[in-house]
Structures are given as structure tokens and as C-alpha cells.
Amino acid sequence: MMAPVVQQVHSEIPPHFLIVGKKNTLDYIAPALFRIGTFGELVVRAKGSFSIVTAVDVAEMVKRDVPGLQTLSISIGTEEIVIEGTTRRVSFIEIHLSKNRPAPALPVVETPALEAPTEVPAIQVPETAAQEPIAEIPVMPPKAKSRKKAAAKKKTVKKVARKKASA
């Protein structure tokens, strides 16, 4: 009798992608540096709240270690995953880092020339309003805090004195 053959479906993950899971942050640094050194770019991808935090930490640590590394893009979103017949929504993040590659140029938008500014009439303030005194706000004296501290010290001194007297 022959054993059934189980086919595993592997989705093609590009070699410059780093999938972050539930391992420690430092476990992803060496593979990230290898991908940057080999391919010149790195895409850190993670799903789930804990893994997203780890992915951001990995990207920041790698950016600090590799000079000239730029963040090209950061993508966030939600994916629907079917697990045992139930649909679950899972957050994800993709951080695209590249070494010495220019960031995509932003489109240049020309704005029409502005018209000459028009004069705005000045606001007339009545003389009585200008002469009214400004209300003063009472300020708490700084001694209030020191009084509380002094009272607390007196209590501790009394406790120590009682212990010595009873001993």
C-alpha cells in the first residue's frame, strides 16, 4: 500500500523579504543585515501586533547599524485570513529599506500665482477696553510643599523616639 502524498504549497517569497514572527528581535538582525549586504534592499514584513512591534524594532536597529540606509516606504493594512472555517482580520506592516537608492521623487505641482494682498481694515479697540486692568491669577506659595515634608519628618522622628523609649 502506498502512503498518500501531501503537496505543500509554498508561495514564492522574494529573497530580500524578511518575515518577522514571534522570535526575539535580535534573532532577526543577522538575516536582515545579510539581505541588505547581498541585495542592497530589505523588506521587513510582519502580521499581528507583537510581530509588528518586533518588525519596527528590527528596521530601526538595522537603520542605525548600516550607513546610507533609507526607508523607501511603509505599508500598513489588514488581511483577512480563514482559519478552520472562520475569517479573522489580522494587521500587517511592510517596511521597505534600501541602501544608497534615491527615494522616489514627489511630483511637482505648480500653483497659480497669487494675487496682490488686499488691505484688511484695522480693528478699532475702544480706549476704555485698553485701560482696563488685567485680572491677576493667585499663585500657590512654594512653602506648601515644604510644610508637608516637614510634617512627615516630624512623624518619623516621633516614631523613632517612641521605639527608643520603649526599648
Side-chain angles (χ1 to χ4, degrees):
M1 183 170 177
M2 294 182 71
V5 177
V6 178
Q7 291 182 345
Q8 294 181 351
V9 178
H10 292 286
S11 62
E12 287 296 319
I13 299 173
H16 63 280
F17 269 62
L18 178 65
I19 308 297
V20 174
K22 294 184 179 183
K23 292 181 185 176
N24 189 2
T25 303
L26 296 177
D27 293 339
Y28 295 103
I29 300 298
L33 293 173
F34 174 77
R35 284 171 172 83
I36 289 174
T38 306
F39 304 108
E41 67 179 339
L42 169 69
V43 178
V44 182
R45 183 170 169 85
K47 292 180 187 178
S49 60
F50 179 75
S51 297
I52 288 173
V53 171
T54 305
V56 172
D57 289 344
V58 168
E60 289 299 317
M61 289 175 150
V62 169
K63 278 176 59 176
R64 188 175 42 210
D65 290 345
V66 179
L69 196 63
Q70 298 174 347
T71 304
L72 294 182
S73 66
I74 299 174
S75 303
I76 59 172
T78 306
E79 291 182 351
E80 290 187 356
I81 300 175
V82 178
I83 301 174
E84 299 177 4
T86 60
T87 304
R88 300 191 66 175
R89 301 184 85 187
V90 179
S91 301
F92 76 90
I93 189 168
E94 276 188 8
I95 305 169
H96 191 167
L97 304 173
S98 180
K99 189 175 184 179
N100 296 328
R101 184 173 162 189
L106 296 174
V108 177
V109 178
E110 293 185 23
T111 58
L114 298 175
E115 297 176 9
T118 58
E119 288 188 29
V120 178
I123 299 173
Q124 299 293 331
V125 178
E127 290 183 25
T128 57
Q131 296 175 357
E132 291 180 12
I134 298 173
E136 293 186 21
I137 301 172
V139 179
M140 186 96 167
K143 294 181 180 180
K145 290 182 182 178
S146 61
R147 288 180 190 159
K148 290 179 183 178
K149 288 181 182 178
K153 282 183 182 180
K154 285 181 183 178
K155 288 180 182 177
T156 55
V157 170
K158 288 180 182 178
K159 286 181 182 177
V160 170
R162 286 183 200 154
K163 286 183 181 179
K164 286 182 181 179
S166 64

